[in-house]
Amino acid sequence: MTTTPDIWEPLEPALSVRQVLTLERVLAGEPEVVAGASHLDRPVRWVHVAEAADVGVMLSGGEMVLTTGVLLAGDEEKQAEYVRSLHRADASAVVLGLGRAFPAAPAVMRRAAERCGLPMVVLHRPFPFAELTEEVQSRLVRRKFAAVSLSEAVRTELTALITAGAPLQRLLDEVARHSACPVVVTNLAHRVLGTAGERPAVDDVLRDWERIARQAGGTEGDGWIRAELGGRGERWGRIVLCGYRGDTATGRLLADRAAEALVLHRMLGGGAACSWEEQSAQSLLTDLVSGVVPARQLLPRARAAGLPVNRRTFVPLVVRDGDTPRLDRLLRLLGLPGLVAELADGATAVLLSLPRDQDADALAAHFAARLRTESGRARTVVAAADPRVAWDDVPAGLREARHVADAVADSAAALDLPPVVRLRDVHLRGLIRLLRDDPHVQSFAERELDGLLCETEEDLLSVLRTYLATGRNKSRTAQLHHVSRPALYRRLESIQVRLGVDLDDFEQAASVHIALLAHDAQQQ
């Protein structure tokens, strides 16, 4: 787990040399940068007044040193050594007040500062150094405690969310709110496990994530701040603040607090990092199936989640009563790139992404066969839509596969289904499934089945369902319900009386069958 920084460490520089030079009190001294102008973004940790030539031994790094040069006048070697000692001590800048010692910036100091890359500033008007130190120190102290306060507030809020059982997304949303920039969580392979922030900004980050991730994995810059996720000597991911606009040290505090919370969230949840991958896939596939978010807008998320999307054939599948971890392992075992996510009502979506020169139908059939072998369930339903080559067509394909799986969900055992069930295999059952919410269909079903819809007639309704699903095969129906043939005849007679139909008449039996299919579809 990331360690908590000491609040008195030089963690929060907060001001750069450039920012100090814009302060109102400093501007009153008419500052002029005479050397090191390309290094003005150096952080200022403290302000120190020093005249001694060996000032470097008194510094610890990050100081802006103020001097009148009174002890350096007339000795060019001391002037050069003064600058070199500041450079060795990693000072942020040197500010020389012009006056009796130096009416103009000494050339020796300018040249030495330029060679060292040390910003050198001269003040053309007399300026009380005490005012500058007071202004800068007070700002630094205020920012220090503001950063610590923010850090503690974030820690408290995230801990409260974890205690309340909040999901990963809720934690990331809170981090994004405090950082005001996109937040991305990845595994060590840069596969995106979660995001938060303003959607357009997040999409911009994900659009070119592979390149960005390589940059974010190196040195920090331009507001890209990361913190490692892991514990017990093992790393398993990272959180990245993408384009944080505040001070870098404050960003590091936020990233560290977020990392601590995410590690704690994982530990208390008892899950592994892959569970976050499952959540990421579930969020993506759920959005694809719902159609609420246009597919084009989801493409960056799919690419960042590790799904190949360029010049691919997409095979939408829905597995009934599938085990998500088993399906994920099976994909890896077969070397099939894809995403797996559990949907509602026991359905699991599988989106395969295959090279266009591969036989998508054959691979889907092979996947279904291996799944039945692995699960030990000979009647496992694997529903599929026809392969799609355009990403924009994937949502419709997933919804079609879901529709097919739902259409055969309750009758798979009674139907002679192929290894992979498609829309053309569900026939009338599929059509009724599509029309189940139509008021006319609902009225028709209630009217046709009125005599059997009370709770006391559930047994007769079940017999009728089996009888019609088996093609009015009395022997098979009696066998499935574990009753004798005479007992079945009595029940069928009772059904016909209650419904006022003759089940030996094809048209009447078909009408009842359609009504029963509609009724069952409405109950799902």
Side-chain angles (χ1 to χ4, degrees), residues 159-176:
T159 301
L161 289 173
I162 294 171
T163 303
L168 170 66
Q169 187 60 53
R170 183 68 184 86
L171 270 66
L172 296 183
D173 289 340
E174 190 67 17
V175 175

Side-chain angles (χ1 to χ4, degrees), residues 158-400:
L158 294 180
T159 301
L161 289 173
I162 294 171
T163 303
L168 170 66
Q169 187 60 53
R170 183 68 184 86
L171 270 66
L172 296 183
D173 289 340
E174 190 67 17
V175 175
R177 184 177 71 83
H178 282 286
S179 62
C181 69
V183 175
V184 176
V185 174
T186 76
N187 61 14
L188 295 182
H190 304 305
R191 179 174 175 179
V192 173
L193 307 180
T195 63
E198 295 292 333
R199 195 72 253 168
V202 172
D203 288 343
D204 286 343
V205 169
L206 296 185
R207 195 164 287 114
D208 196 17
W209 177 251
E210 184 176 350
R211 178 184 61 81
I212 291 174
R214 287 196 298 269
Q215 294 177 348
T219 58
E220 294 178 349
D222 296 327
W224 293 83
I225 300 171
R226 65 189 177 96
E228 302 298 326
L229 304 176
R232 299 175 183 175
E234 180 182 3
R235 294 186 301 117
W236 42 264
R238 59 178 57 90
I239 181 170
V240 185
L241 307 186
C242 306
Y244 179 71
R245 297 305 177 193
D247 298 311
T248 299
T250 303
R252 290 198 190 103
L253 278 175
L254 284 172
D256 286 343
R257 295 298 81 76
E260 289 175 357
L262 295 184
V263 171
L264 181 61
H265 181 273
R266 179 194 176 199
M267 291 173 60
L268 294 180
C274 64
S275 67
W276 287 3
E277 295 179 355
E278 293 168 8
Q279 292 177 37
S280 174
Q282 182 176 28
S283 174
L284 174 60
L285 291 185
T286 299
D287 285 346
L288 278 170
V289 171
S290 69
V292 174
V293 182
R296 183 59 51 182
Q297 293 183 21
L298 296 173
L299 188 58
R301 286 172 58 188
R303 185 182 288 112
L307 185 73
V309 295
N310 295 328
R311 298 188 59 79
R312 309 291 287 189
T313 297
F314 302 102
V315 183
L317 304 173
V318 170
V319 180
R320 269 291 173 186
D321 301 320
D323 182 303
T324 301
R326 177 183 286 116
L327 292 172
D328 206 25
R329 287 193 300 270
L330 182 57
L331 287 185
R332 292 196 296 270
L333 179 64
L334 298 178
L336 298 175
L339 296 177
V340 179
E342 185 176 352
L343 304 177
D345 303 325
T348 303
V350 180
L351 180 61
L352 302 181
S353 175
L354 308 174
R356 291 189 177 177
D357 59 353
Q358 293 187 347
D359 189 334
D361 290 343
L363 286 174
H366 180 56
F367 170 79
R370 285 296 298 269
L371 175 60
R372 290 190 176 92
T373 301
E374 294 282 334
S375 66
R377 302 173 184 172
R379 301 304 301 178
T380 297
V381 173
V382 179
D386 290 334
R388 265 61 174 173
V389 295
W391 175 256
D392 287 346
D393 295 334
V394 168
L398 285 168
R399 287 193 291 272
E400 179 181 313

Side-chain angles (χ1 to χ4, degrees), residues 465-483:
R465 183 181 292 110
T466 305
Y467 179 62
L468 295 174
T470 58
R472 295 184 292 176
N473 186 319
K474 294 182 175 65
S475 297
R476 179 60 176 158
T477 301
Q479 181 182 12
L480 290 174
H481 282 270
H482 307 289
V483 297

Side-chain angles (χ1 to χ4, degrees), residues 396 399-408 423-424 426-439 441-442 517-518 520-522 524:
R399 287 193 291 272
E400 179 181 313
R402 176 76 179 273
H403 160 69
V404 173
D406 290 346
V408 299
L423 191 60
R424 59 179 174 270
V426 296
H427 306 296
L428 178 62
R429 190 179 300 273
L431 175 63
I432 295 300
R433 181 80 187 184
L434 287 175
L435 299 176
R436 63 177 178 171
D437 294 326
D438 187 295
V441 174
Q442 294 174 357
L517 291 176
D520 290 344
Q522 291 160 15
Q524 296 174 2

